[in-house]
Amino acid sequence: MAQRAPVKLGVLISGTGSNLQAIIDAAGRGELRAEIRVVISNRAGAQGLERARRHAIPARVIEHRRFPSREDFDRALAEALAEHRVELVVCAGFMRLLSPVMLAAFPDRIMNIHPALLPAFPGVHAQQAALEHGVRFTGCTVFFVREGVDDGPIIVQAVVPVLPGDDEERLSERIRAQEHRIYPWAIQLFGEGRLAIEGRTVRIADFPLGDESLALVNPRSPHSPRLSRPH
Ligand code: GAR
């Protein structure tokens, strides 16, 4: 079978860009067949812009404040992405809600990542919300963007435990490490043409199925033979 061409990405950022870096690094290691055609930030000072420039990736600033409406901003975004022949739009810490203008320009071709197990804790401060709720597990979710806030068909999730003594920073760090694993992988699955959206569900072709041993208990249960400590 002929190998597919690397998927052409446009990455949207607002800040640090550690997920952008993870995508750049995964592509560098050959785990992700992708070409980042452009990085666009809605904030001029975003650290992620520097990361792009360091890797000779075209980096642009399109400030949302300069546009009278969300739709006008989205039209400018869509035009810039089309100019760079982008196939898949990757939101990586991009803190703007996209309007139907962008969704129509890239139907089923916009991904996002969120630091919680959606549909729990959408919106900002998801890690703090998880701590305040007292959940034993949280994590991160890669999904296809729809009109709602952090709402859309789920592609991959990773679970992390919430541990005694966690604060927002420690928990965020633990989640971020998993984000950096699953985002490049989700993009690779898209690039391989293995993702099919059916309603709210994303089917993954040739998906290696897990089994019941994937179930997690936190705190560790002394009654589970699989989890008991060796004597
Ligand atoms: C990530 O933790 C991502 O999940 C979150 O912003 C952070 C960006 O970090 N996104 C959202 O909260 C979207 N609702 P980064 O700039 O270092 O990649």
Side-chain angles (χ1 to χ4, degrees):
M1 199 170 64
Q3 212 182 17
R4 282 170 181 260
V7 59
K8 298 183 179 74
L9 308 180
V11 182
L12 306 184
I13 61 165
S14 299
T16 317
S18 73
N19 277 286
L20 165 66
Q21 189 67 54
I23 293 163
I24 294 171
D25 293 346
R29 289 193 302 270
E31 290 168 18
L32 169 61
R33 277 177 56 74
E35 185 192 338
I36 305 177
R37 306 278 298 184
V38 65
V39 170
I40 301 176
S41 172
N42 66 312
R43 289 189 36 238
Q47 196 191 328
L49 290 167
E50 262 320 298
R51 297 180 193 267
R53 292 187 188 116
R54 225 180 295 138
H55 292 271
I57 298 165
R60 292 176 63 165
V61 177
I62 303 180
E63 286 181 301
H64 63 276
R65 299 184 287 126
R66 292 178 186 271
F67 295 86
S69 70
R70 201 178 282 283
E71 288 73 17
D72 287 316
F73 171 62
D74 277 12
R75 255 184 289 280
L77 267 187
E79 269 170 33
L81 292 162
E83 256 171 49
H84 289 271
R85 309 241 181 289
V86 164
E87 294 168 326
L88 176 69
V89 180
V90 173
C91 301
F94 180 66
M95 295 310 198
R96 301 295 302 168
L97 194 60
L98 292 174
S99 76
V101 171
M102 264 295 286
L103 297 176
F106 292 90
D108 292 341
R109 283 165 180 271
I110 308 177
M111 280 187 192
N112 196 4
I113 189 157
H114 182 71
L117 292 174
L118 292 173
F121 313 127
V124 290
H125 302 300
Q127 301 92 332
Q128 187 58 33
L131 286 171
E132 282 166 14
H133 212 92
V135 293
R136 297 292 189 217
F137 290 106
T138 182
C140 46
T141 305
V142 180
F143 60 102
F144 282 111
V145 173
R146 292 285 184 263
E147 253 188 78
V149 177
D150 299 320
D151 184 30
I154 290 170
I155 305 164
V156 184
Q157 292 185 304
V159 177
V160 305
V162 179
L163 300 177
D166 270 355
D167 55 17
E168 192 175 0
E169 201 183 319
R170 273 182 57 178
L171 182 57
S172 300
E173 235 172 74
R174 193 173 307 125
I175 293 171
R176 206 171 301 120
Q178 298 306 316
E179 291 190 348
H180 297 168
R181 291 176 63 196
I182 67 170
Y183 214 178
W185 187 46
I187 296 166
Q188 175 64 15
L189 289 172
F190 178 93
E192 290 173 5
R194 289 169 64 190
L195 304 182
I197 303 175
E198 291 170 22
R200 287 207 63 95
T201 303
V202 177
R203 306 248 173 253
I204 305 179
D206 306 320
F207 185 63
L209 290 172
D211 57 56
E212 284 184 32
S213 69
L214 277 179
L216 301 171
V217 179
N218 182 27
R220 280 176 191 273
S221 159
H223 306 299
S224 164
R226 291 187 61 88
L227 294 175
S228 62
R229 297 213 175 95
H231 296 289

